[in-house]
Amino acid sequence: HHRDSPPPKRSIPSQRRAMSHIESRTPRRHCVRSGAVSMEQLREVFPKIQSHFEPQVVKYSNTNPHIDKADGEHGESIEWKVSCYMEVAEDGGAMQKHVSVSEPMREVCAPLLARCDEVFSEWYRGLHGPRSISKLVRLQSFVTRYRPFPQEAGLLRHIDGAHVDGSVILALSGPDPSAPGSPVDISFEGGGVTVWERQPEEVSFSYPMHPGDLCTLDNYVWHQGNPIVAGERWSLVIFYQTRYNKQHRLANIVLNMAKEMRLNAQADEELRQKRERADGGGGKGPDEAVGP
């Protein structure tokens, strides 16, 4: 990697500003659960995670035109060397097929993986119904370390794959006010997670992601790990399938694409009706501002 210059600094919203923005809109297809994993458990497990961390090289492409230029860019076929993979299912991802998973890392993260499964399952069933999970399978799980170097500072706006039914991001490190100097107390500048949803116009949600916070995402939800400009930030990520059958991977992709098209059509209709109401009202009040 070329490390001659760090990525440009970006404006990071304060927690107060981010939360006031979140409170003005209600997330539909994602959620952040504060303190999903206890600090005591993180303090115990995180040193073992650091000792077993060996990032593997995978090829990655992201030329999404909606990436904010202030955040930087990725590009075509870059070498991504920030993650240590614990699990990669047979059809878990074309770019990760060659990866040799780390059994030691999976063993030390086992209680965190189990807790993520529990929280994700509860949230997903609440979103899609009690029978929406026929068999929960972790397609991929990995630990990521972000550093303020090119192609290591963050993972810009993306979705996790057409065959991924949902995913989670668990914050592993950051300020630990109750135990300064603890293993997880690693400072960084920037970071956090941004999520975009259509409601019906696109709305962004910014989360600082303190240690132990867990972000759950439905499929086809745009999000990014915001770039850091100093320090290190660690997280654990899991990709899930909820109706797993490796013979029907293509069918799963088609189902997810159809669901996304249906949700987009619903958002388009809501936006059309909102604009009609605004146009018919003789002006646009503050509660009926129309998106671009």
Side-chain angles (χ1 to χ4, degrees):
H1 297 289
H2 299 288
R3 300 179 179 173
D4 49 346
S5 60
K9 289 199 173 187
R10 60 192 295 272
S11 175
I12 306 299
S14 68
Q15 182 179 357
R16 176 177 297 178
R17 177 177 154 196
M19 292 307 292
S20 65
H21 181 59
I22 292 165
E23 288 166 0
S24 67
R25 303 295 179 96
T26 302
R28 296 180 178 180
R29 301 179 59 203
H30 78 279
C31 179
V32 171
R33 182 164 176 176
S34 299
V37 174
S38 71
M39 293 300 295
E40 290 76 13
Q41 189 170 42
L42 284 182
R43 293 178 193 131
E44 178 183 353
V45 174
F46 188 64
K48 301 173 186 176
I49 291 175
Q50 289 178 300
S51 66
H52 290 297
F53 184 79
E54 294 182 6
Q56 294 115 330
V57 177
V58 297
K59 292 288 186 179
Y60 178 74
S61 295
N62 187 350
T63 57
N64 181 359
H66 297 293
I67 290 174
D68 190 330
K69 297 299 183 184
D71 291 332
E73 61 182 11
H74 284 317
E76 297 274 5
S77 298
I78 65 170
E79 288 195 349
W80 181 252
K81 192 179 179 181
V82 300
S83 299
C84 177
Y85 287 82
M86 297 175 280
E87 299 166 305
V88 178
E90 184 179 342
D91 55 348
M95 298 297 184
Q96 292 79 22
K97 285 184 176 179
H98 69 283
V99 168
S100 297
V101 297
S102 172
E103 288 295 333
M105 182 67 88
R106 188 186 62 79
E107 289 177 9
V108 301
C109 288
L112 303 182
L113 295 171
R115 177 59 178 158
C116 288
D117 292 353
E118 178 186 4
V119 175
F120 175 82
S121 297
E122 178 185 354
W123 171 80
Y124 193 87
R125 289 190 173 104
L127 183 66
H128 294 290
R131 305 173 73 176
S132 56
I133 300 178
S134 57
K135 182 180 181 182
L136 187 69
V137 172
R138 295 193 293 262
L139 292 175
Q140 291 184 27
S141 64
F142 50 92
V143 171
T144 295
R145 177 189 62 188
Y146 293 112
R147 302 187 294 180
F149 305 131
Q151 306 300 350
E152 294 188 34
L155 185 54
L156 304 183
R157 180 169 170 152
H158 66 285
I159 59 173
D160 289 329
H163 65 300
V164 175
D165 292 327
S167 53
V168 300
I169 305 166
L170 172 64
L172 297 174
S173 65
D176 188 357
S178 61
S182 77
V184 304
D185 189 17
I186 301 176
S187 63
F188 57 84
E189 295 180 27
V193 171
T194 298
V195 183
W196 291 268
E197 288 196 28
R198 293 193 60 182
Q199 303 199 346
E201 66 270 33
E202 186 172 84
V203 179
S204 64
F205 299 82
S206 297
Y207 301 96
M209 296 297 291
H210 301 297
D213 290 356
L214 185 70
C215 178
T216 53
L217 298 157
D218 201 11
N219 74 305
Y220 274 98
V221 172
W222 292 99
H223 59 284
Q224 77 173 17
N226 298 326
I228 65 169
V229 296
E232 288 184 359
R233 185 170 81 88
W234 294 70
S235 60
L236 185 153
V237 178
I238 306 173
F239 298 163
Y240 290 106
Q241 275 192 350
T242 59
R243 45 185 184 274
Y244 185 77
N245 186 332
K246 66 182 180 181
Q247 278 78 32
H248 297 123
R249 183 175 187 270
L250 179 59
N252 200 57
I253 292 174
V254 171
L255 285 171
N256 282 338
M257 291 178 67
K259 183 178 78 172
E260 179 66 11
M261 291 174 65
R262 185 174 67 253
L263 290 170
N264 281 334
Q266 179 183 342
D268 287 340
E269 177 61 19
E270 290 177 5
L271 185 57
R272 184 189 66 79
Q273 293 178 8
K274 184 175 182 180
R275 285 175 170 162
E276 285 184 354
R277 290 195 301 270
D279 291 342
K284 301 177 181 65
D287 294 331
E288 297 203 283
V290 177

